[in-house]
Amino acid sequence: MQVHGYPYDATGSTFIVEMHEQVWAKAGFAGLAPAGLAPGQSDEASIAKMIDLLGHIIGDHAIEANNSKWISFGTLRCSSWRNHNVVLLGDAAHTAHFSIGSGTKLAMEDALALAACLNEQPDVDSALDAYEAERRPVVESTQRAAQASLEWFENLGQYTHQ
Ligand SMILES: Cc1cc2nc3c(=O)[nH]c(=O)nc-3n(C[C@H](O)[C@H](O)[C@H](O)COP(=O)(O)OP(=O)(O)OC[C@H]3O[C@@H](n4cnc5c(N)ncnc54)[C@H](O)[C@@H]3O)c2cc1C
């Protein structure tokens, strides 16, 4: 199991627990995790077990669940980010593994670029073309870096004896 932990403000930190599905099953999470949690609901049974297993890392700190549940990370790539006058940005257009911490930055930069293109181009059609032409190379480069990071963490088992 690996923990990704990093502060987001003066008093709080993100705390992500990641593991291979076999490790997850052997640790007993498969029988605990409820199927079909509603949006916003957290998997409290798994969180309690995680606190038990990782108490030596968590120490006296409180765990604050926030829509916390098991997910399998999926990398999303779209061949086009627009359909007529409908345009995609952020995670709807592309995802990058959380271990490189860039998803929010990419989404914000998409929004800035889209606003600038709409301001600078003569019409919506050319603005949406310019937006995708500007952002796609940046996003693809970040996704390549994120893929290497994803593979490192998802295949960690092959390095643990080294
Ligand atoms: C475990 C994990 C850790 C991460 N850590 C980091 C990090 O440290 N740094 C970082 O930069 N990024 C991180 N990311 C990525 C980051 O969370 C996303 O890239 C970012 O939130 C994308 O923003 P967004 O606005 O495109 O999408 P979202 O934040 O997903 O926003 C989409 C919103 O649309 C709402 N919605 C969905 N469907 C509908 C509908 N039909 N009608 C109305 N509303 C709807 C959703 O509820 C949601 O609020 C992490 C991701 C994961 C999974």
Side-chain angles (χ1 to χ4, degrees), residues 42-61:
S42 295
D43 177 354
E44 300 294 348
S46 293
I47 293 168
K49 186 175 178 79
M50 205 189 71
I51 292 171
D52 197 34
L53 286 172
L54 302 174
H56 59 293
I57 296 173
I58 298 164
D60 300 336
H61 300 283

Side-chain angles (χ1 to χ4, degrees), residues 12 19 29 33-34 52 61 85 90-91 98 100 105 126 136 148 157-158 162:
M19 69 200 79
F29 288 115
D52 197 34
H61 300 283
N85 65 345
D91 272 16
F98 58 81
I100 68 159
K105 178 172 166 279
S126 33
R136 187 172 277 281
Q158 62 185 303
Q162 293 175 357

Side-chain angles (χ1 to χ4, degrees), residues 6 14 16 39 67 71 73 89-108 110:
Y6 40 88
T14 298
I16 301 170
N67 195 25
I71 58 163
F73 186 84
L89 64 160
D91 272 16
H94 47 72
T95 56
H97 193 249
F98 58 81
S99 55
I100 68 159
S102 291
T104 307
K105 178 172 166 279
L106 287 178
M108 297 299 289
D110 284 354

Side-chain angles (χ1 to χ4, degrees), residues 74 88 122 159:
L88 300 176
Y159 310 115

